[in-house]
Amino acid sequence: ETGVTQTPRHLVMGMTNKKSLKCEQHLGHNAMYWYKQSAKKPLELMFVYNFKEQTENNSVPSRFSPECPNSSHLFLHLHTLQPEDSALYLCASSQGEGGVYNEQFFGPGTRLTVL
Amino acid sequence: AQKVTQAQTEISVVEKEDVTLDCVYETRDTTYYLFWYKQPPSGELVFLIRRNSFDEQNEISGRYSWNFQKSTSSFNFTITASQVVDSAVYFCALSEMNRDDKIIFGKGTRLHILP
């Protein structure tokens, strides 16, 4: 596979469930990102990882827990979510030392619905 | 305060017409980056352009052109001879150099190109 892939593409979960979103990049990049895109808000940066180290947590609630085991994989662990967390979750990656001022390559997103 | 404003929520034009998408930004930094991304119906954002604050030259890439005006804090995007495949949501974004790993997106402009 090429580019940035995300699984699953769609997820429906209850508020008491625990699930994980997966992102994988095949571009040899060093930085990876999670974004949230909801219907009524601008695209929001959630987390940034550079060389597997988290460099940004944009005031995200603790019910979202990221994990970056290596520079190619990024997870977003979800637990006790709220209906307002329903959104499209996008993963992205970039080259170099990271930093959002680099060109980012995005995955297709996971459409999450919390019931 | 909203840092990136895309005042046009939705635009519809007939194919082959030219269309300009507006972006106004707000920053106190002297060094920053501006971006345009395209989000087609498939979901993943596609990078179009990055411009740093010291380079005010306008840029043309095929049917796409960008007009960067620091005096008015604007970074407008024009599509010439629009095509149906240009239908998408277009996002303008700002990254300030002294705000490592922060990027702020506008709310996006949904562009419909009618056949």
Side-chain angles (χ1 to χ4, degrees):
Chain A
E1 294 203 57
T2 58
V4 181
T5 58
Q6 290 187 244
T7 54
R9 294 294 307 275
H10 300 272
L11 178 62
V12 179
M13 60 187 288
M15 289 191 284
T16 57
N17 292 157
K18 288 185 180 181
K19 297 286 184 184
S20 295
L21 310 185
K22 179 183 175 182
C23 175
E24 184 173 359
Q25 58 96 0
H26 310 267
L27 301 167
H29 290 166
N30 299 317
M32 297 187 76
Y33 314 81
W34 278 117
Y35 287 86
K36 176 183 178 182
Q37 185 177 29
S38 50
K40 298 183 179 180
K41 288 186 176 181
L43 194 62
E44 301 171 85
L45 179 63
M46 300 173 71
F47 300 105
V48 180
Y49 279 81
N50 283 324
F51 293 97
K52 303 185 295 178
E53 298 296 322
Q54 184 176 315
T55 59
E56 177 67 23
N57 176 338
N58 202 12
S59 302
V60 180
S62 59
R63 56 186 184 269
F64 295 91
S65 174
E67 178 190 1
C68 188
N70 54 63
S71 57
S72 298
H73 294 84
L74 185 65
F75 295 90
L76 188 63
H77 303 300
L78 316 171
H79 63 98
T80 59
L81 294 192
Q82 304 297 313
E84 60 264 29
D85 296 321
S86 299
L88 180 68
Y89 289 85
L90 291 161
C91 175
S93 68
S94 68
Q95 184 52 290
E97 295 181 359
V100 293
Y101 41 85
N102 291 323
E103 172 187 354
Q104 294 179 59
F105 293 78
F106 284 79
T110 295
R111 174 71 61 188
L112 173 67
T113 303
V114 181
L115 301 177
Chain B
Q2 191 171 357
K3 288 199 167 188
V4 179
T5 303
Q6 294 180 255
Q8 304 147 307
T9 304
E10 202 158 346
I11 301 175
S12 294
V13 300
V14 177
E15 197 174 17
K16 298 184 183 177
E17 288 185 355
D18 299 347
V19 58
T20 295
L21 309 183
D22 297 333
C23 175
V24 174
Y25 62 92
E26 178 187 331
T27 180
R28 295 179 181 176
D29 288 2
T30 55
T31 305
Y32 53 89
Y33 288 88
L34 295 163
F35 303 80
W36 277 96
Y37 282 88
K38 172 183 180 181
Q39 187 176 35
S42 54
E44 70 268 33
L45 275 76
V46 177
F47 169 84
L48 296 178
I49 190 171
R50 180 185 69 174
R51 178 52 49 87
N52 75 56
S53 52
F54 296 106
D55 182 3
E56 279 195 80
Q57 276 195 327
N58 291 330
E59 180 151 344
I60 298 175
S61 177
R63 296 184 297 106
Y64 295 170
S65 62
W66 290 270
N67 185 345
F68 179 25
Q69 298 271 351
K70 287 180 77 170
S71 59
T72 56
S73 297
S74 65
F75 186 43
N76 296 338
F77 171 34
T78 297
I79 302 175
T80 304
S82 60
Q83 300 176 2
V84 173
V85 294
D86 296 326
S87 298
V89 182
Y90 290 86
F91 292 94
C92 180
L94 165 71
S95 179
E96 297 162 310
M97 279 297 290
N98 69 350
R99 305 273 192 276
D100 286 344
D101 296 330
K102 291 278 189 189
I103 184 167
I104 300 168
F105 283 79
K107 293 185 177 181
T109 297
R110 185 174 296 277
L111 177 63
H112 300 278
I113 308 298
L114 308 173

